[in-house]
Every structure is written in structure tokens, then in C-alpha cells.
Amino acid sequence: MTSPKIIAARAVSPVHGRLAIFGMAVAVAISIDLHLRLSSQVSPIWQTLSEYVYGYLSPGSTAAPLFGAMCLALGFGSLALLGGIAKAHRSGYESVLVLLGVWCAGLFVLALVPVDPEGQARSLAGQIHNYAALTAFLALPAAAWVLTRPGRARCPWEPRRTTIRRLSVASFAAVVIVLGGFVWTMLTGPSHQEVTLGLFERLLFAVDLTLLATMVRPLLSHR
């Protein structure tokens, strides 16, 4: 008969956990670098993170590759988390893996497809970018919520269930505010922008990073 300790240990996957933390750390480092170096070009209050692609690090050198690297680092870190959860071999986690897969795919799309420049007509690429962002930022908190669904025996994420669910609710709330701000701006025009989209999107980014770190923790627990 398999002991509870052995069952619980199946969630431990240090390699996946460390890769996830590394990817997240790289993404945070790049984000800080972008904010510091482009502080005079991109407003962290009014402009979104995606608009860093149109900033210039030096004459003739845009920040687009750096922004893409940030999204890819977070995407591969999240993919490592997905692998760690899959390695736990828990029944009922299939939907969690699908939702995390959607989150990762969304990040990869954001890295490759740029947002439309501010004030310009909306293009197909820009629409793909926007929908990928919305889908990804909805999929992550949904995955976290399902991961901590009540009734799962000896779930390694159970000790952090309350924290994960609170962060999920905060993430959903931030998405609703950002989405509402985008809709308002589309209806009234940029000159009537009332919601500080950049600030709330950065808040969403911080909440989701905290959520991911909380989800990674059981992968690093000692056996």
C-alpha cells in the first residue's frame, strides 16, 4: 500500500521548479530593465507593457527583442511549472494542464506578434496580440482555481489553497478592470482615457507572478 508521504512526494519536482523560478526571474529582470531604460518613452501609468516594443534603447535599436525575450522567459518558466504538475500524476489535473498550456501559448504569441502602435488603425496582428493576451490572462487564474478545487485527497497545493484562490480572484479582477478600460478607450477615444491601463496591467503582471511562484512552491518542497 502506498503511504501518504510517498503520494505527496509525487508533487516534488525540483528540476521543474527551479526552471520555473529561473524563467520567472529572467522575466522580472527584463521587465525592470525595460522600465528603467525606457522610463522617458513609455508611461508605466497609461501605457501597457506591450508598448515597450516601440521604445528605443539606442538610435536604430528598438526594445522589441527584449520584450519578446521577457515573454518567452515567462512562457518557458510556466511550461516548466506545467511539466512539474504533470509529473505529479494526479487525476483531475488534465484541465489544469490545458489551461496552463493556453497561458503558455498566449505568452509565446505575445512574444512574436506585436501590439498595434498607439493611435494607429487596428491590424490583424494587433487583434491577434490583444486576444492572445486576454485569453492567457484569463487562463492562468482559471488554472490556479481548478488546481485547488476542494475534495482532492492529499493535494500538494492544499496548504496554499486560500492564498492561491485569493490571488486568482485578484487576477480576475485586474483583468476585468484592464478589459473595461480597453473597451472604454475604444468607445470614447484615447483622449478620454479614464482608466490607468498601464498601472492596472502592471498590477496584473505582479499578481500573476506571485500566483505562479505560489504554484511552483510545492515542486520545490523537501521529500
Side-chain angles (χ1 to χ4, degrees), residues 100-219:
L100 276 178
V102 171
W103 158 254
C104 295
L107 289 172
F108 295 146
V109 171
L110 296 182
L112 300 174
V113 182
V115 69
D116 289 322
E118 186 177 5
Q120 292 193 15
R122 300 193 176 276
S123 65
L124 176 59
Q127 294 284 21
I128 291 173
H129 179 99
N130 291 337
Y131 284 119
L134 176 60
T135 304
F137 283 109
L138 286 174
L140 177 60
W145 188 271
V146 176
L147 180 66
T148 54
R149 189 170 57 197
R152 288 193 168 130
R154 305 186 188 93
C155 174
W157 286 269
E158 179 62 28
R160 296 169 180 82
R161 180 173 180 270
T162 300
T163 300
I164 289 175
R165 292 215 151 189
R166 285 176 177 172
L167 289 169
S168 298
V169 171
S171 180
F172 277 125
V175 170
V176 170
I177 293 172
V178 171
L179 179 60
F182 272 116
V183 172
W184 176 263
T185 302
M186 288 176 61
L187 293 176
T188 62
S191 60
H192 295 86
Q193 186 174 338
E194 301 290 344
V195 180
T196 55
L197 294 179
L199 183 61
F200 277 106
E201 189 184 74
R202 284 160 179 79
L203 174 62
L204 171 62
F205 185 66
V207 169
D208 284 349
L209 282 171
T210 306
L211 178 57
L212 285 167
T214 306
M215 293 167 69
V216 169
R217 186 66 185 87
L219 302 181

Side-chain angles (χ1 to χ4, degrees), residues 46-104:
W46 296 103
Q47 293 177 271
T48 64
L49 287 166
S50 296
E51 292 177 79
Y52 279 117
V53 297
Y54 297 110
Y56 283 88
L57 300 174
S58 61
S61 175
T62 70
L66 202 56
F67 175 81
M70 180 186 75
C71 294
L72 289 175
L74 187 57
F76 283 116
S78 299
L79 200 59
L81 169 62
L82 187 156
I85 294 176
K87 192 177 179 182
H89 300 301
R90 297 304 178 99
S91 60
Y93 280 0
E94 292 81 4
S95 55
V96 177
L97 300 180
V98 170
L99 288 167
L100 276 178
V102 171
W103 158 254
C104 295

Side-chain angles (χ1 to χ4, degrees), residues 15-58:
V15 173
H16 288 92
R18 289 166 188 161
L19 287 173
I21 293 296
F22 177 75
M24 292 164 56
V26 171
V28 170
I30 294 176
S31 173
I32 293 173
D33 183 49
L34 287 172
H35 280 80
L36 293 176
R37 296 170 68 184
L38 299 178
S39 59
S40 62
Q41 300 178 46
V42 180
S43 170
I45 303 298
W46 296 103
Q47 293 177 271
T48 64
L49 287 166
S50 296
E51 292 177 79
Y52 279 117
V53 297
Y54 297 110
Y56 283 88
L57 300 174
S58 61

